Amino acid sequence: MAGNTLTLPKYSLGTGDRFAHQAKAQLQACILAAKQGVEIIPVWNKSNREHTIIGSEPASVRAAAEAAVKELGWSKPYFCDADHITLQTVDRFLAPCDFYTIDVADMIGQAAPIEAIEAFVNKHPELLGKIELSGIDESFTITAEDLRGTASKFLAAVKQAGEVYRKIAAAKGEGQFIPEISMDETDRAQSPVELLIILVAIADEGIPIQTIAPKFSGRFNKGVDYVGDVAQFEREMQLDVAAIAYAVKHYGLPANLKLSVHSGSDKFSIYPAIHRTMKKFDCGVHLKTAGTTWLEEIIGLAEAGGKALALAKDVYADAFAHREELCGPYATVIDIDPAKLPSPEAVQGWTSEQYTSALRHVQSNPAYNASFRQLLHVGFKIAAKKGRHYLDLLEANEPVVAKNVTENLYDRHIVPVFLGLATAR
């Protein structure tokens, strides 16, 4: 908190909990980090689509978070994120949430009125020419064509974000929630120059965003490693951070504004680049790990053996049978090779170790199967259909499931990204 305004601290971890059973295990990972001197704030997120699939309500996320915070004695901030909300879906999140990921991807490329574009261009002649950035040996050169073209592509999206922001503010009160704008679920990465121009438009719109989630180059597939040029990613991230610092200094955006890396779970190859950037610029980051907790639940059940392993096998069999239906909504963020998917009959004969080795994201293990993992990642709908049977087994095997959830978040995400950084103040 800063005065009466909710403020997102420097380092934060967006973590999904599809079935609202792992909040305590997730929070435990943040407690382990705190013991190492690094404060990482948990942000529990769940989208409208996920609530609809599972049949849950946003209040369940708040209830699970509060129970975990109370039981573990967490005294630092924490938040509940209305993930990827729009004007049409925000209402059900107004009471329980205090973090709003405003998703404008569908509006990117929608034409803004010509007069609005021209008004923006005319308002910002200072953006034309060379922009000197701090902390990096590169500068931006922005032409009138760049300014007009970026406004044409993104101004309508920013205007819609403003509508959503004002609707939330009318219900919650100014400063009583954390606003984020998300532009990652779109076809093309935004360049750092575009990001700067977008930030200026956001400032004009009066949205005090505290995080922004651009789309980076490369593929950020669900639950598997980054596919792309790591050096290019690092250059983009550094330029984005420098652009944010420039926008904060010159356009009055919140001082704690930081990058949000969406679909950041398991992007092991870029974690060193993220860490180096944070250290170089002394900047924060919001790392979104989302659905990997659900995979750790399945790994834990498989590890437990018996009925729990049998359920894990059944979930895969059903996911295999319905793979086209499951994969359709996630087509742009998964890359499954059907030839590499084991048959359900083969999986029925697997031991606990065979199942967990195929699913657990340890790339040095020759049994690891990225296609198997991605199919199960989008297959949480299958577990939801199992209803109480799935939840009962989760609860019966809580110690082994929780151990996997905590170790995954701490060892594979928090340690490489955040440890070694100074404690947030």
Side-chain angles (χ1 to χ4, degrees), residues 143-225:
T143 66
E145 186 179 351
D146 293 330
L147 196 54
R148 189 169 281 105
T150 303
S152 177
K153 186 171 184 181
F154 294 98
L155 206 55
V158 171
K159 293 288 185 186
Q160 186 182 72
E163 287 184 51
V164 180
Y165 170 78
R166 286 185 286 275
K167 184 170 186 178
I168 301 165
K172 307 288 290 188
E174 294 280 352
Q176 299 308 300
F177 60 98
I178 308 295
E180 171 178 292
I181 289 182
S182 161
M183 303 178 295
D184 64 302
E185 293 192 354
T186 187
D187 294 336
R188 187 179 68 82
Q190 296 92 39
S191 72
V193 168
E194 287 175 326
L195 180 64
L196 175 58
I197 296 169
I198 291 163
L199 289 169
V200 174
I202 290 168
D204 283 357
E205 190 66 19
I207 312 170
I209 57 168
Q210 296 188 34
T211 81
I212 187 161
K215 182 180 177 66
F216 297 97
S217 62
R219 283 186 69 89
F220 284 74
N221 290 335
K222 296 287 185 183
V224 294
D225 204 353

Side-chain angles (χ1 to χ4, degrees), residues 17 20 23 44 57-70 78 80 96:
D17 188 8
W44 282 281
E57 289 295 329
S60 65
V61 178
R62 170 66 59 185
E66 289 181 346
V69 164
K70 183 178 180 181
Y78 65 96
C80 293

Side-chain angles (χ1 to χ4, degrees), residues 76-309:
K76 302 177 191 302
Y78 65 96
F79 299 93
C80 293
D81 177 10
D83 189 20
H84 286 288
I85 50 95
T86 63
L87 205 56
Q88 291 71 40
T89 59
V90 68
D91 285 344
R92 69 192 298 209
F93 294 91
L94 290 173
C97 292
D98 50 11
F99 187 120
Y100 292 83
T101 299
I102 302 171
D103 190 333
V104 297
D106 287 347
M107 288 298 292
I108 292 173
Q110 299 290 322
I114 295 296
E115 56 271 23
I117 295 169
E118 291 307 314
F120 178 78
V121 171
N122 292 333
K123 184 178 180 181
H124 293 292
E126 79 286 353
L127 285 171
L128 297 174
K130 193 173 184 180
I131 303 288
E132 296 290 350
L133 302 172
S134 297
I136 195 165
D137 294 331
E138 291 195 50
S139 59
F140 291 161
T141 299
I142 301 177
T143 66
E145 186 179 351
D146 293 330
L147 196 54
R148 189 169 281 105
T150 303
S152 177
K153 186 171 184 181
F154 294 98
L155 206 55
V158 171
K159 293 288 185 186
Q160 186 182 72
E163 287 184 51
V164 180
Y165 170 78
R166 286 185 286 275
K167 184 170 186 178
I168 301 165
K172 307 288 290 188
E174 294 280 352
Q176 299 308 300
F177 60 98
I178 308 295
E180 171 178 292
I181 289 182
S182 161
M183 303 178 295
D184 64 302
E185 293 192 354
T186 187
D187 294 336
R188 187 179 68 82
Q190 296 92 39
S191 72
V193 168
E194 287 175 326
L195 180 64
L196 175 58
I197 296 169
I198 291 163
L199 289 169
V200 174
I202 290 168
D204 283 357
E205 190 66 19
I207 312 170
I209 57 168
Q210 296 188 34
T211 81
I212 187 161
K215 182 180 177 66
F216 297 97
S217 62
R219 283 186 69 89
F220 284 74
N221 290 335
K222 296 287 185 183
V224 294
D225 204 353
Y226 174 76
V227 179
D229 183 335
V230 174
Q232 173 66 11
F233 168 83
E234 186 165 7
R235 176 180 174 271
E236 284 178 18
M237 184 174 184
Q238 292 197 6
L239 284 167
D240 284 350
V241 168
I244 286 172
Y246 187 93
V248 167
K249 181 178 179 180
H250 294 278
Y251 294 95
L253 289 166
N256 66 324
L257 174 58
K258 62 183 179 178
L259 277 178
S260 180
V261 182
H262 278 208
S263 295
S265 51
D266 294 54
K267 302 301 178 284
F268 302 141
S269 61
I270 62 171
Y271 285 176
I274 294 174
H275 181 88
R276 285 191 297 269
T277 301
M278 293 164 71
K279 201 165 186 178
K280 176 176 179 176
F281 289 88
D282 189 23
C283 65
V285 76
H286 181 61
L287 182 74
K288 204 162 183 182
T289 66
T292 50
T293 287
W294 139 248
L295 292 177
E296 294 304 320
E297 287 183 339
I298 288 289
I299 288 169
L301 292 176
E303 198 169 73
K307 291 180 180 178
L309 173 61

Side-chain angles (χ1 to χ4, degrees), residues 20-40:
H21 273 59
Q22 305 309 324
K24 190 169 77 167
Q26 293 166 330
L27 184 56
Q28 188 62 47
C30 295
I31 290 171
L32 290 173
K35 289 177 179 177
Q36 297 300 316
V38 180
E39 180 183 290
I40 300 168

